[in-house]
Each structure stands twice: as structure tokens, then as C-alpha cells.
Amino acid sequence: MAALPPPNPPAVALPAQPNDPNVPMPAAPNFPPTVDNIIAAMRYREDVRMSFAHQLDEACTLDDLSNSGIYEHSILAQAAAVAGPQAAAPPWFQGAVQQLRNDIQNDIQQLRNDVQQLRNDVKRVMNQGRGDGNIVRFEIIPFANGNDPTLQPHNLPPLHSVNAIQQLNGATLSAYLTGYGIDPLPAVAGNPDATNRLRKETLKRLVGALRRE
């Protein structure tokens, strides 16, 4: 009696439901995985990444992010194993997948930028309600590139109060303004004190130490 062929292995199991209820789960994949299954796994992973970037109460967790990556890898690995080394993808496939990855990565980067800008705006509003910062300290506002000005490689003094800004010297003051994307302000002719005051007032507005009228 001829030996029966070995049964097909099971399809890749779906990951656990993520913490964010707004992240749609992919449909159960086929065996072997189809192109639609592969694209769905990639999109699911990026949806989880986007939710994770929000860092809200119902955002995806680090475990969700890990599970989505394992799921995507498992789908790709099973598809490759079934296809074998001699199989060739359709000419359009690699380009379509790469374009999808590029679009999603661009969306994620824009989302991260928007979230960071929103956080900075909230901190500035909070600082505006804290007077001179002597009782309730000002929040630290990250630089334009997202760096914390008080950490490496900047190591600048924290601006927790108006007094801290007033104590800045020329080089440190310039470093703060440059970090916030402000070109060196023009000097007030023949009046270095006025130049210094102008730069400090500008910095105060950048971190929310002055209430906008």
C-alpha cells in the first residue's frame, strides 16, 4: 500500500487581540499563505506600530508590537518554505510590497512627528499656567529634532523657571535657540545687553514661559 503524503502543516495562528480595540485583526490566513495574507500581515504589523506610537491608555503594547512582528515573520517564512527556492514571485509583487512598506513607514514617521508636536504644545500651555516656575517647575520642551536638551549630547541646564533662563550665558542661550530651530538673532547695534534680553525673551516664548496675550 502506497504511503500517504504527510498532511499539510496548519496555517499560521493569528496573534492575540491587541490592547487597542481599533486595530483590526487580519483574516485567518490560508495554507499556504496567499499574497493577500502576506500583505494583511504586513499592514497589521504597521497598524500596531502606529497605535503603539500614540502611547495612549488603549494603545498597543510592546507585547502587541512583538506579536505582530512574529506573525508577519511566520507568514513570510511559511510562504517561502512552501514556495521553495526555485519559486519566483510575480514581477509586480516585490515592487507592490516595497511601495506598501514605504507608504506605511512614511505614515508612521509623520504620525510620530505629529504626536511629538502635540506633546510639546501641551507642555508649553502647561508652562504658561505656572507663573515664573518657582512653585511648579516648567516642563522640559524637546528640541526640534526630538532630543532632550538636558541630556547627551547637549547637556544644557534645565529651564525649569524664568530665573533659569535669565541665568543663561551667551553660548548656552545660543545653543538653546539653535536647538529650537531659531537662527541666531541679529545683534542690537552697540547694545549687547539688549541683544541678550531679546534672545532670552524669544527663548521664554519658545518654552511657554511667557503667556501669549
Side-chain angles (χ1 to χ4, degrees):
M1 182 176 179
L4 295 175
N8 287 334
V12 175
L14 288 172
Q17 179 71 42
N19 186 60
D20 187 344
N22 295 314
V23 172
M25 292 288 290
N30 302 93
F31 179 86
T34 64
V35 171
D36 286 343
N37 295 151
I38 294 172
I39 293 176
M42 292 177 175
R43 183 167 291 281
Y44 174 70
R45 183 182 183 188
E46 299 307 332
D47 285 345
V48 171
R49 283 182 179 177
M50 292 177 70
S51 172
F52 179 75
H54 277 84
Q55 294 293 300
L56 301 176
D57 289 342
E58 289 191 340
C60 286
T61 65
L62 189 58
D63 284 343
D64 295 331
L65 192 60
S66 175
N67 290 339
S68 68
I70 292 171
Y71 177 69
E72 179 191 45
H73 174 78
S74 299
I75 288 287
L76 292 171
Q78 190 176 76
V82 172
Q86 74 283 359
W92 55 266
F93 179 73
Q94 187 60 39
V97 171
Q98 186 58 50
Q99 184 60 51
L100 176 63
R101 283 184 175 275
N102 291 344
D103 290 345
I104 292 175
Q105 290 293 343
N106 290 338
D107 289 344
I108 290 173
Q109 187 57 53
Q110 184 60 53
L111 175 63
R112 286 173 176 163
N113 292 342
D114 291 345
V115 169
Q116 185 61 57
Q117 183 60 51
L118 177 60
R119 287 174 175 169
N120 291 352
D121 290 344
V122 169
K123 287 181 178 180
R124 288 189 184 95
V125 172
M126 292 171 64
N127 289 347
Q128 288 173 8
R130 294 181 177 181
D132 56 14
N134 288 334
I135 297 177
V136 181
R137 301 193 310 175
F138 293 150
E139 299 289 327
I140 299 299
I141 308 297
F143 278 160
N145 63 3
N147 287 352
D148 185 325
T150 67
L151 302 179
Q152 291 281 2
H154 310 288
N155 294 323
L156 296 173
L159 304 183
H160 286 313
S161 67
V162 170
N163 184 60
I165 297 174
Q166 291 298 121
Q167 297 301 317
L168 295 179
N169 58 34
T172 305
L173 183 56
S174 295
Y176 258 112
L177 292 173
T178 300
Y180 288 128
I182 302 297
D183 292 331
L185 297 172
V188 178
N191 195 334
D193 289 339
T195 300
N196 211 34
R197 285 198 302 273
L198 174 62
R199 291 174 176 171
K200 288 179 180 179
E201 292 303 302
T202 300
L203 181 56
K204 289 175 187 177
R205 290 197 177 277
L206 289 171
V207 302
L210 285 180
R211 184 184 299 276
R212 293 184 181 275
E213 301 299 339

